[in-house]
Amino acid sequence: GQNIDQPTEMTATEGAIVQINCTYQTSGFNGLFWYQQHAGEAPTFLSYNVLDGLEEKGRFSSFLSRSKGYSYLLLKELQMKDSASYLCAVLDSNYQLIWGAGTKLIIKP
Amino acid sequence: GAVVSQHPSWVICKSGTSVKIECRSLDFQATTMFWYRQFPKQSLMLMATSNEGSKATYEQGVEKDKFLINHASLTLSTLTVTSAHPEDSSFYICSAPSGLAGYNEQFFGPGTRLTVL
């Protein structure tokens, strides 16, 4: 079966750095997405990785290793507004998005 | 980026009534749209794939006769929850892929919160 694992919840301090991991086992791979979702709102796009390596976009970076079925989202200089759920999703061979359960990130002052 | 709208944003209805939710792609054409349901503190669950001009494809366990999907144009898909019951109360979200070559980002609507009394 298809499976995506990410931690349920993480806590970090304002101004610090946090890494949210995602491992996946899917039928085929056409890219991995990270989305941010604030409570009661729809997800918003953060990043897309289809090749191995690190993609940097401002305070957020996303890494992918296809051979290991592994990705992480790195958030730097954390701000209180970064408190949200972070969803990892993989596009499988049928171009269907397979979603992880999300990681709730709590930022403390 | 591409914009997807949903209407209504929230709705409260009595048990047994039907509710229609609209999903529109505002600045691009979407031959495919996806409908998701999200219960509190849970991840998105794909309900069905809506295809313009043809029947929707439903995920296992989703009743097609209860959740009617119509994708009549390249910019509009509707989800009708028929004979709604309290257990149908949830956050319903639609999305549409941008379709840009080599990049399959999905753009999400703002969601519709349905409460069935």
Side-chain angles (χ1 to χ4, degrees):
Chain A
Q2 309 205 87
N3 192 51
I4 296 184
D5 288 317
Q6 49 182 132
T8 303
E9 186 174 297
M10 298 181 70
T11 302
T13 305
E14 189 177 15
I17 298 173
V18 70
Q19 177 175 311
I20 303 174
N21 296 325
C22 171
T23 57
Y24 62 90
Q25 292 175 308
T26 57
S27 55
F29 180 84
N30 280 299
L32 184 144
F33 297 85
W34 283 97
Y35 283 85
Q36 180 191 60
Q37 185 178 26
H38 285 100
E41 299 180 10
T44 55
F45 171 81
L46 289 179
S47 67
Y48 171 72
N49 293 69
V50 67
L51 299 176
D52 290 348
L54 186 69
E55 296 275 345
E56 297 186 75
K57 190 185 293 185
R59 294 190 298 116
F60 294 4
S61 303
S62 57
F63 172 84
L64 174 67
S65 169
R66 289 173 295 172
S67 62
K68 295 182 179 179
Y70 167 71
S71 172
Y72 67 73
L73 180 69
L74 190 71
L75 292 78
K76 303 176 183 176
E77 302 171 13
L78 286 170
Q79 301 175 10
M80 297 304 293
K81 67 178 182 180
D82 297 329
S83 292
S85 287
Y86 291 85
L87 307 175
C88 172
V90 172
L91 204 61
D92 72 6
S93 57
N94 295 319
Y95 287 91
Q96 181 168 330
L97 267 181
I98 310 300
W99 292 89
T103 298
K104 182 178 180 181
L105 177 63
I106 300 169
I107 310 296
K108 295 184 175 180
Chain B
V3 179
V4 176
S5 70
Q6 264 183 260
H7 178 79
S9 300
W10 57 270
V11 58
I12 302 173
C13 69
K14 293 182 179 180
S15 183
T17 60
S18 295
V19 175
K20 179 186 283 188
I21 303 170
E22 293 184 350
C23 177
R24 294 181 185 273
S25 56
L26 298 185
D27 52 0
F28 68 103
Q29 294 183 330
T31 56
T32 300
M33 289 183 175
F34 300 95
W35 286 97
Y36 294 88
R37 181 167 53 183
Q38 186 176 35
F39 293 105
K41 300 183 179 180
Q42 295 185 23
S43 188
L44 299 170
M45 291 175 52
L46 180 64
M47 297 176 67
T49 302
S50 171
N51 303 298
E52 188 269 334
S54 65
K55 292 183 179 180
T57 304
Y58 290 81
E59 295 301 301
Q60 191 173 5
V62 178
E63 300 173 57
K64 63 178 67 176
D65 294 331
K66 180 172 180 61
F67 298 99
L68 300 179
I69 291 174
N70 184 284
H71 196 151
S73 77
L74 289 171
T75 59
L76 173 64
S77 175
T78 61
L79 168 67
T80 302
V81 183
T82 62
S83 188
H85 291 286
E87 56 265 31
D88 297 324
S89 298
S90 186
F91 192 46
Y92 291 86
I93 308 173
C94 70
S95 73
S98 66
L100 297 176
Y103 193 84
N104 288 283
E105 178 182 347
Q106 288 202 34
F107 293 90
F108 287 86
T112 297
R113 186 160 301 282
L114 170 64
T115 302
V116 183
L117 302 176

